[in-house]
Coordinates of all heavy atoms in Angstrom, one line a residue:
T63 N 13.9 0.8 -8.9 CA 12.5 1.1 -8.6 C 12.1 2.2 -9.6 O 12.2 3.4 -9.2 CB 12.4 1.6 -7.1 OG1 13.0 0.6 -6.3 CG2 10.9 1.7 -6.7
C65 N 9.5 3.6 -10.5 CA 8.5 4.6 -10.0 C 9.2 5.6 -9.1 O 8.5 6.7 -8.9 CB 7.4 3.8 -9.2 SG 6.7 2.4 -10.1
N66 N 10.3 5.4 -8.6 CA 11.0 6.3 -7.6 C 12.3 6.9 -8.2 O 13.1 7.5 -7.5 CB 11.3 5.6 -6.3 CG 10.1 5.1 -5.6 OD1 9.0 5.0 -6.2 ND2 10.3 4.7 -4.3
G96 N 11.2 -2.2 -5.6 CA 10.6 -2.0 -6.9 C 9.6 -3.1 -7.2 O 10.0 -4.3 -7.2
E97 N 8.3 -2.8 -7.4 CA 7.3 -3.8 -7.5 C 7.5 -4.6 -8.8 O 7.1 -5.8 -8.7 CB 5.9 -3.0 -7.6 CG 4.7 -3.9 -7.3 CD 4.7 -4.4 -5.9 OE1 5.3 -3.8 -5.0 OE2 4.2 -5.5 -5.7
T98 N 7.9 -4.0 -9.8 CA 7.9 -4.8 -11.1 C 9.1 -5.7 -11.2 O 9.0 -6.7 -12.0 CB 7.9 -3.8 -12.3 OG1 9.0 -2.9 -12.1 CG2 6.6 -3.1 -12.4
G132 N 6.9 6.1 -3.1 CA 6.1 6.1 -4.3 C 5.6 4.7 -4.7 O 4.4 4.4 -4.5
C133 N 6.5 3.8 -5.1 CA 6.1 2.5 -5.5 C 5.5 1.8 -4.4 O 5.8 2.0 -3.2 CB 7.3 1.7 -6.1 SG 6.8 0.3 -7.1
D134 N 4.6 0.8 -4.7 CA 3.7 0.2 -3.7 C 4.2 0.0 -2.3 O 3.6 0.5 -1.4 CB 3.2 -1.2 -4.2 CG 2.4 -1.2 -5.5 OD1 2.4 -0.1 -6.1 OD2 1.9 -2.2 -5.9
S171 N -1.7 1.8 -16.1 CA -0.7 0.9 -15.6 C -1.3 -0.4 -15.0 O -2.2 -0.3 -14.2 CB 0.1 1.5 -14.4 OG 0.5 2.8 -14.7
H205 N 4.7 6.9 -10.4 CA 4.3 5.5 -10.1 C 3.0 5.2 -10.9 O 2.5 6.1 -11.6 CB 4.0 5.3 -8.6 CG 3.0 6.2 -8.0 ND1 1.7 6.2 -8.3 CD2 3.2 7.2 -7.1 CE1 1.0 7.1 -7.5 NE2 1.9 7.8 -6.8
C206 N 2.5 4.0 -10.8 CA 1.3 3.5 -11.6 C 0.2 4.6 -11.4 O -0.1 5.1 -10.3 CB 0.8 2.2 -11.0 SG 1.9 0.8 -11.4
A212 N -0.1 1.8 -5.3 CA 0.7 3.1 -5.1 C -0.2 4.3 -4.9 O 0.0 5.1 -3.9 CB 1.7 3.3 -6.2
T488 N -4.0 -2.9 -9.4 CA -4.5 -2.5 -10.7 C -5.4 -3.5 -11.4 O -5.8 -3.3 -12.5 CB -3.2 -2.2 -11.7 OG1 -2.5 -3.5 -11.8 CG2 -2.3 -1.2 -11.1
Ligands
FES6 FE1 5.6 0.9 -8.9 FE2 3.1 0.2 -9.7 S1 5.0 -0.7 -10.2 S2 3.7 1.8 -8.4

Side-chain angles (χ1 to χ4, degrees):
T63 306
C65 307
N66 297 14
E97 197 64 29
T98 50
C133 198
D134 294 11
S171 312
H205 59 69
C206 291
T488 62

